[in-house]
Amino acid sequence: MGFILVVLSYVLYSLGMDAISRRRGLAHPWLSWVPFVSCFQLGTIADHYKLTRLERQGIMRWVLLVLGTVNAVVIGGIIFLFVLIAAEVTFGLLSLGLIFIDERFVMALQQNAELLGLAIIFSPLLCLPYWIAKFVAQYQLFKSCRPDLALVFLIISILVPFVTPVLIMVCKDRD
């Protein structure tokens, strides 16, 4: 059931971003469908809003692309550490048996667990700039479509993130 909700959320988000990009005549609206690169399209929409309303060129697309890549690497690193610890525990217990556990195995497990603990503590700090930039870009998207409800939509998307695709779908037919 959770997998279906994730796929549905992804499809709604991509459909909404694609429709907004096409309505505004932005280059490469299909980027909305590419995981990890769709943040570039969100930045392009935010930059387009800045260009048309404030007559200034924005760099939000590049900021989101770089910070999104850092975010993906951090999350990928944490997942890799989880897999590494799980493999170490599994293979260590299989090769050494459940009765006798080697000291080296315990030390290696403790070192990786400490590293994982540090990663879990510091990863939000590494990912925070991406989320701030993404919320700024989402606000600009909401402001460009629904200026009267932009702040409300942003607060809802921060507090209840799985509603963001629905909010983007609500905005897709408005300029």
Side-chain angles (χ1 to χ4, degrees):
M1 182 68 174
F3 179 74
I4 293 171
L5 289 176
V6 168
V7 170
L8 180 64
S9 176
Y10 174 76
V11 168
L12 286 177
Y13 180 83
S14 298
L15 276 172
M17 294 290 289
D18 187 71
I20 292 170
S21 298
R22 288 184 193 281
R23 283 181 63 89
R24 296 184 184 178
L26 300 177
H28 316 297
W30 55 269
L31 288 175
S32 302
W33 292 93
V34 181
F36 302 113
V37 181
S38 61
C39 64
F40 181 83
Q41 198 64 18
L42 175 63
T44 302
I45 292 169
D47 287 346
H48 180 262
Y49 172 71
K50 194 173 199 175
L51 183 64
T52 57
R53 296 288 186 239
L54 305 175
E55 297 180 359
R56 289 190 319 215
Q57 188 70 12
I59 60 165
M60 187 59 76
R61 69 187 92 178
W62 299 109
V63 168
L64 280 174
L65 185 62
V66 169
L67 292 177
T69 303
V70 169
N71 193 35
V73 167
V74 168
I75 292 171
I78 290 173
I79 291 170
F80 176 75
L81 283 173
F82 270 118
V83 169
L84 183 69
I85 289 172
E88 199 167 281
V89 167
T90 303
F91 293 129
L93 291 178
L94 288 177
S95 65
L96 300 173
L98 295 174
I99 298 171
F100 177 73
I101 296 180
D102 192 347
E103 247 181 69
R104 292 172 298 178
F105 171 72
V106 172
M107 275 187 13
L109 184 61
Q110 287 174 343
Q111 288 172 347
N112 285 336
E114 289 171 3
L115 186 60
L116 181 64
L118 288 173
I120 289 172
I121 290 170
F122 289 110
S123 64
L125 295 175
L126 293 173
C127 296
L128 187 62
Y130 168 74
W131 288 103
I132 291 171
K134 185 172 181 176
F135 290 139
V136 168
Q138 279 182 353
Y139 176 74
Q140 290 173 340
L141 181 147
F142 295 144
K143 186 88 171 157
S144 70
C145 298
R146 300 292 306 257
D148 54 331
L149 295 174
L151 187 58
V152 173
F153 280 9
L154 178 65
I155 291 170
I156 291 171
S157 69
I158 290 171
L159 296 176
V160 191
F162 63 86
V163 177
T164 303
V166 175
L167 298 174
I168 290 175
M169 287 298 287
V170 166
C171 291
K172 75 177 177 65
D173 294 326
R174 298 187 61 140
D175 286 325

